[in-house]
Amino acid sequence: MREKLATLARTLFRRRRARTDGGEATANPSGGFLSDQFVSSLPYWLPAFLIMGLAVYGAIFWNFLLSLTDFQQFGNPDYGHLDLGMYAKAFGDQVFLGALQNTFALLVSFTLCCLVVGLLIAILVDQKIRYENTFRTIYLLPMALSFVVTAQFWLWMYNKQNGVVNIILGAFGLGPYEWIGNPALVLGAVVFALIWQFSGYAMVVYLAGLRAIPTEQFEAARVDGATTLRMYWRVIIPQLKGATISASVVLMVFALKAFDFLYSLSGSYYPPKGSDILATMMVRQAFSVGHRAYAAAIGIMLFALALVIIAPYLAYQYREGEL
């Protein structure tokens, strides 16, 4: 019996090499689930794996459990009665629906505008202009700033009395406008400021894609008589599909993390009227209103939205053999 158990253990936990000369098979130290290499590598990756699993995925699971309760303030959550009441409450809450609408508007407009502006700048920089490195650094520099610094900078720019934006518009007989205080204008003002900060990232991604395209394709298009506009539209831009997908995913994640920017505009958990998004509403419900289960439900929906954005990108990379 003991011999059978030993044989079974060796079969399960070690891979054995077959001998073609009829001799006894020898153990393969580099194969198998509990091979020598696997066991010796445990101290290097197992602690990080356990910490990551507990701190990230464990926290997500715990947050999901909280969203199924009615946890408020600093009491003890009741895990004995779990339901989807907080999710039903969210889709019946006009404030949540307004924040959801603003989130999608910010996500789509910010990402598309950043991609277009970044592509145009990348095409201009790719023309071998003088001081290319200087221009590239200038375009990319705003991305090095934090959301807090960017918000304060644009608060000055949008100032109604002496802001640069209203001064420029005044030269054309327009304004002045209350950019931050006007609910009809504030979301567009926020999107414009974020485009200024992150379009440089899209420029760098597209510039790398343009430099990877062989120059022979440009020359062949010119020989065929294609105009510059047609050459880029029909030949060059379709080859930037990978760069577009990569930049889009990163930009959409940045848009979902715009809480810092909106918090800095108002200095409170209540952003300027007309600019409330899911991230600001989640933090407000957790730390101002004290309805932590409702905030957990909003957080889970934000997490699901992020997965919807990232999952197609991972599937694309898998199909392309990059995973």
Side-chain angles (χ1 to χ4, degrees), residues 53-133:
L54 180 63
V56 178
Y57 301 107
I60 292 172
F61 179 72
W62 184 39
N63 193 69
F64 176 68
L65 286 181
L66 285 179
S67 71
L68 301 178
T69 66
D70 193 20
F71 181 38
Q72 298 187 36
Q73 299 299 336
F74 296 99
N76 294 320
D78 183 11
Y79 295 109
H81 299 84
L82 303 179
D83 55 41
L84 299 174
M86 292 299 107
Y87 297 92
K89 175 182 177 180
F91 287 99
D93 185 357
Q94 292 301 318
V95 177
F96 172 84
L97 295 177
L100 181 63
Q101 181 179 353
N102 290 338
T103 300
F104 277 110
L106 174 64
L107 194 69
V108 174
S109 59
F110 163 72
T111 303
L112 291 180
C113 290
C114 270
L115 291 176
V116 172
V117 173
L119 177 60
L120 293 177
I121 296 176
I123 292 174
L124 292 176
V125 173
D126 192 46
Q127 303 306 311
K128 309 298 182 182
I129 61 175
R130 294 182 62 185
Y131 309 112
E132 174 189 330
N133 292 335

Side-chain angles (χ1 to χ4, degrees), residues 87-244:
Y87 297 92
K89 175 182 177 180
F91 287 99
D93 185 357
Q94 292 301 318
V95 177
F96 172 84
L97 295 177
L100 181 63
Q101 181 179 353
N102 290 338
T103 300
F104 277 110
L106 174 64
L107 194 69
V108 174
S109 59
F110 163 72
T111 303
L112 291 180
C113 290
C114 270
L115 291 176
V116 172
V117 173
L119 177 60
L120 293 177
I121 296 176
I123 292 174
L124 292 176
V125 173
D126 192 46
Q127 303 306 311
K128 309 298 182 182
I129 61 175
R130 294 182 62 185
Y131 309 112
E132 174 189 330
N133 292 335
T134 303
F135 283 112
R136 190 166 52 191
T137 302
I138 292 174
Y139 291 135
L140 191 59
L141 184 61
M143 189 180 172
L145 304 177
S146 68
F147 275 134
V148 177
V149 175
T150 304
Q152 293 303 312
F153 174 78
W154 281 97
L155 274 177
W156 298 333
M157 297 282 287
Y158 286 139
N159 187 277
K160 186 175 181 179
Q161 280 72 36
N162 51 17
V164 174
V165 175
N166 280 321
I167 290 176
I168 295 175
L169 292 177
F172 297 93
L174 301 174
Y177 298 102
E178 186 67 53
W179 294 99
I180 304 300
N182 189 340
L185 299 176
V186 61
L187 191 61
V190 169
V191 171
F192 187 85
L194 294 178
I195 292 171
W196 171 84
Q197 183 172 14
F198 290 106
S199 58
Y201 169 77
M203 179 268 295
V204 170
V205 175
Y206 276 127
L207 186 60
L210 288 171
R211 296 287 167 84
I213 298 176
T215 56
E216 291 79 6
Q217 297 190 17
F218 292 89
E219 297 171 357
R222 292 191 180 97
V223 169
D224 290 340
T227 62
T228 301
L229 181 61
R230 183 178 295 273
M231 176 182 65
Y232 275 98
W233 183 255
R234 294 290 182 87
V235 179
I236 306 304
I237 294 180
Q239 298 186 62
L240 298 176
K241 178 182 176 182
T244 300

